[in-house]
Every structure is written in C-alpha cells, then in structure tokens.
Amino acid sequence: MRFPKAFWLLWCGQALNRVGILAPAFLVLYLEQGKLVDARTTPLIVGLFGIGVVVSGLVGGALADMIGPRRTIVGAQPIAVATALLYLFTTNIVALCLLALVTGFLSAVDRPASAGLIHKIVPRADFERAYSFYLVGFNIGMSLSPVISGFLLAFSPSLLFIVWAVCSALYGLLLIGLPADAVTVRRRASDTSLVRETVRSIAEPFRSRVLVAFLVLTFLMACIYLQVNSSLPLGMRSEGMTPGQVGLVLAVNAVASVVLLPLAPRVARNMREEVPLALSAALIALGFGANAFAHSVPAFIVSTLIWTLGEVLWAPTSAGFVANRAPEGKVSTYQGSMFFAWNAAAAVGGPAGIVLAGAFGYGTLWLSVLALGLAVAVGFKALVGLPGFQPPPAAPEPTVHDRIRVS
C-alpha cells in the first residue's frame, strides 16, 4: 500500500470524522428522547437533513475546485464544531430545523473534495486503488458510528455532540498537515459574478451527453441500492426476523465491503470502462432481486453478499469513470455531480420502494428492482456508443515537486 503520507492523513481524518458525525437516525432519536420534537416535526427534520446532503455534493465539489479541496475540508470543520455545540443549547424548533439542514450539508460536503484531493495526491493510474482504500476507512468509520452513537445516547446524550465536535476538530487538524492547495489566482469579482461563476461550474458536468446518461443511470441504480436503508429492513421484519437478525445481515455487508474493496480495482484493471459499471449494476440487481426468494437469515445473507460484490466494484470504478472525463481542475466538481445523483435517489428510491411493497408486496418490489437493475446494466454497457465516451487524453503527471506530498 505505497501511498504518500498525505493520503494516509486524509484516510485517518475521514475515518475519524465518520465515527463522530451525527447520523440522521440518531439525531431524530436524540430529539425525540429529549422531547424537543413531536411526530409531526420528525419528518421535517429528516427531510431537511436530506436536502442538506443532496445540495452538499454540488456545492462541495464546485467549492473544492474554486478554493482548493484542502481548504474546503479544513474550512468546514470549525462550522461542524460550532453546529455540534449549538445542539447542546438549542430547544427552539426553527433553530433545530436549521441545524438539521446544516448537519446534512456538513455530513457530505467533504466527499467530492476528498475525491479531488486523492486525484492530486496519487498518480492517475493509482486513483481507483487509492479510492478503494479511502472507502475502506470511510466504511470502518460508518460501521463504528452507530455502535458508539447508540452507547452515547443511552449513557449521556450530550456526548453525541461533544464526540462529533472533537472528531471534526481532529479531522481539520490532520489535514492542516497537508501542504496548502495550489489554486489559480482569480481576478477580484463581485458577489454576483462569483455566484454566476459557481452556478456555471456546477452545471458544467451536465453539458456532457455521456455524463448525463451516466448520472441518470447512477440515480436509477442508487434507487435500487438505497433500499438497504428503507425497504430491506422492513422486508426482513415482514419475514419474522428480529432486529438483531436484521442487524446481523446488514453487518455482513459492512464487513464484506471492508474486506473486498481493496480487491475491486484488480478485478476491473483489464476491463473496458463500461464493463465493471454494467457488471456492478447487474450484481446489485441480482442481489436485491434474490430477496424475493429469501425467507431466512442465511438466504438474506447470500443475497447481501451478491449486492455487496456489486457495491464494492461500483464505488472505485464509477469515481474513476467520472475523474477520467473531468477537465483539469474540475475533478471535485464532476465528482460532486455523481454524489448529487446518488444522494437524490435517497429522496425517491426509499419512499417509492416502501409504497410499492405496501401496495403489491415485497416479492413484487424485489422482482421490480431486479428488472430495473438489469436495464441499468444494459444502459451502462450502451454508454460506449454515445459521443464523448472516450475520455480526453490525460494531462502529463505532475512532477514530484508539483504533486501534493508531506515530507
């Protein structure tokens, strides 16, 4: 694992940040336990959190390319610390709604910036491999977070926000160890022209036909995958499984993804770009489709292993596909468009799955996502026929003096 020290600083910071950051489920539990919200307000809190997440991909990516990915991540952490501490003193419902929006935004604003930073830290040929290892740290943090949050909520709820503040502060301090971003000096501009420039930057990836097709397919595939947060636990409960058994099945995904992610770039190394995308969509479709025939813990574990294979193949290859088509200095913006497509599916796929299962049963839902997923796989394979599919020639690799490094 010969990556620069700068990469491992980012890896450690991101994993630590994921451990401490507040997930929407535990935010709601905290607010309901403290009787700060009622049943009518809870959906609003969750919705505002989701809006913050969706917006963060677009804004975070454009911001990282304008001021630099390191500045974007480091600059967000004092805001995260302040937001976490404000929860300790806030009881006003309007203020809590605003904090939920900001919390959702902060939970994901660093992700496109991190992808752009990795693109600068490592040689282009190692991007997918480095991104896979980065996601290992991300998943480790995400796996530990609910365990720690559940304990803190039971022991002392205020510690949820203190741990979040401490982890955010340490994340920022770790990344201060990276050399400053090399950002092109821009002429002084008015606030209006700066906003216009930001909007143009955000819109740029959506002008490419092949990327728009890729983003639409990503959205549809995410609608399938994100059933893991909505319909899948409910479907397992409908089969008579206990909460502990549901947690066991989902833990298989967490462990398998950590083990398999570093292997994904090796599997995809000799494939044409569209092949691993199509294969990952097919595996996710088959995995979730197999739930239609699962009625026990072992059967659901088998289904989970199948769609986990698709997940670990998708993550680095999709990031590489987008990075290959991003102009110089626009990697974070283009990654942000992919995060936007993925996160937007959370607002559509989860509710739609629950509605479909409620109306026609979980068997119909799983067979429907199977059909949709296989169609998405065909769509990824067909990307090769679109104008602009072939990425532009890669720019020369930076010299050792130009590349971000830590001595």
Side-chain angles (χ1 to χ4, degrees):
M1 294 185 286
R2 292 186 177 181
F3 298 124
K5 185 179 178 182
F7 172 82
W8 293 113
L9 286 173
L10 175 63
W11 192 97
C12 292
Q14 177 62 245
L16 185 62
N17 186 53
R18 289 299 127 184
V19 168
I21 206 161
L22 196 62
F26 287 94
L27 172 58
V28 169
L29 288 173
Y30 166 81
L31 295 175
E32 290 188 346
Q33 182 173 302
K35 301 189 186 312
L36 298 173
V37 298
D38 55 30
R40 293 173 299 175
T41 312
T42 299
L44 177 61
I45 294 287
V46 174
L48 288 169
F49 188 102
I51 291 171
V53 172
V54 171
V55 173
S56 67
L58 295 176
V59 175
L63 191 62
D65 285 333
M66 290 179 66
I67 68 172
R70 174 183 170 275
R71 285 191 184 97
T72 300
I73 298 173
V74 172
Q77 302 321 305
I79 303 173
V81 171
T83 301
L85 296 179
L86 279 172
Y87 274 107
L88 298 175
F89 308 101
T90 304
T91 57
N92 179 271
I93 187 60
V94 175
L96 287 170
C97 287
L98 180 60
L99 286 176
L101 178 65
V102 174
T103 302
F105 182 85
L106 292 170
S107 72
V109 69
D110 62 320
R111 295 201 63 190
S114 295
L117 194 53
I118 293 170
H119 194 265
K120 292 184 177 183
I121 290 171
V122 304
R124 174 63 195 91
D126 293 335
F127 176 78
E128 283 86 355
R129 190 166 67 94
Y131 196 76
S132 292
F133 278 102
Y134 161 82
L135 289 175
V136 169
F138 182 93
N139 287 343
I140 289 173
M142 289 291 287
S143 299
L144 292 174
S145 178
V147 177
I148 294 173
S149 295
F151 170 77
L152 294 177
L153 190 62
F155 179 73
S156 177
S158 61
L159 287 177
L160 279 171
F161 305 100
I162 295 173
V163 170
W164 177 20
V166 170
C167 289
S168 297
L170 292 175
Y171 186 22
L173 288 173
L174 281 171
L175 264 66
I176 287 176
L178 274 64
D181 297 303
V183 181
T184 304
V185 178
R186 299 176 184 270
R187 61 178 176 80
R188 189 179 298 276
S190 67
D191 291 342
T192 302
S193 60
L194 185 61
V195 170
R196 191 178 299 123
E197 180 183 359
T198 303
V199 172
R200 278 201 300 266
S201 180
I202 290 173
E204 185 175 326
F206 299 93
R207 298 191 184 104
S208 164
R209 287 178 62 185
V210 70
L211 273 175
V212 168
F214 170 84
L215 293 174
V216 170
L217 292 169
T218 296
F219 170 81
L220 294 174
M221 193 175 79
C223 284
I224 298 171
Y225 174 84
L226 292 174
Q227 300 302 316
V228 69
N229 296 328
S230 55
S231 299
L232 181 56
L234 295 174
M236 287 190 281
R237 289 299 301 273
S238 73
E239 293 291 339
M241 294 172 58
T242 67
Q245 290 173 322
V246 173
L248 173 64
V249 172
L250 297 180
V252 169
N253 165 250
V255 174
S257 63
V258 168
V259 173
L260 296 174
L261 265 168
L263 305 177
R266 299 181 188 179
V267 173
R269 183 180 302 160
N270 297 319
M271 297 180 182
R272 296 192 306 274
E273 276 192 298
E274 77 280 6
V275 174
L277 298 176
L279 181 58
S280 60
L283 287 168
I284 288 174
L286 291 171
F288 279 95
N291 289 329
F293 310 100
H295 306 289
S296 64
V297 171
F300 276 109
I301 286 177
V302 171
S303 301
T304 297
L305 287 172
I306 296 171
W307 59 256
T308 298
L309 289 173
E311 174 193 2
V312 300
L313 185 59
W314 161 263
T317 54
S318 60
F321 183 90
V322 174
N324 284 343
R325 285 153 183 82
E328 186 67 24
K330 292 288 186 180
V331 173
S332 295
T333 299
Y334 276 60
Q335 294 292 331
S337 68
M338 183 174 69
F339 286 119
F340 169 75
W342 187 271
N343 292 329
V348 177
I354 293 173
V355 170
L356 182 60
F360 301 102
Y362 284 99
T364 300
L365 169 64
W366 303 132
L367 293 177
S368 297
V369 299
L370 171 63
L372 176 61
L374 293 178
V376 169
V378 173
F380 278 125
K381 194 69 176 66
L383 287 178
V384 69
L386 291 178
F389 175 80
Q390 293 301 327
E397 289 286 351
T399 66
V400 69
H401 300 291
D402 296 328
R403 187 174 298 284
I404 294 177
R405 67 187 190 284
V406 175
S407 57

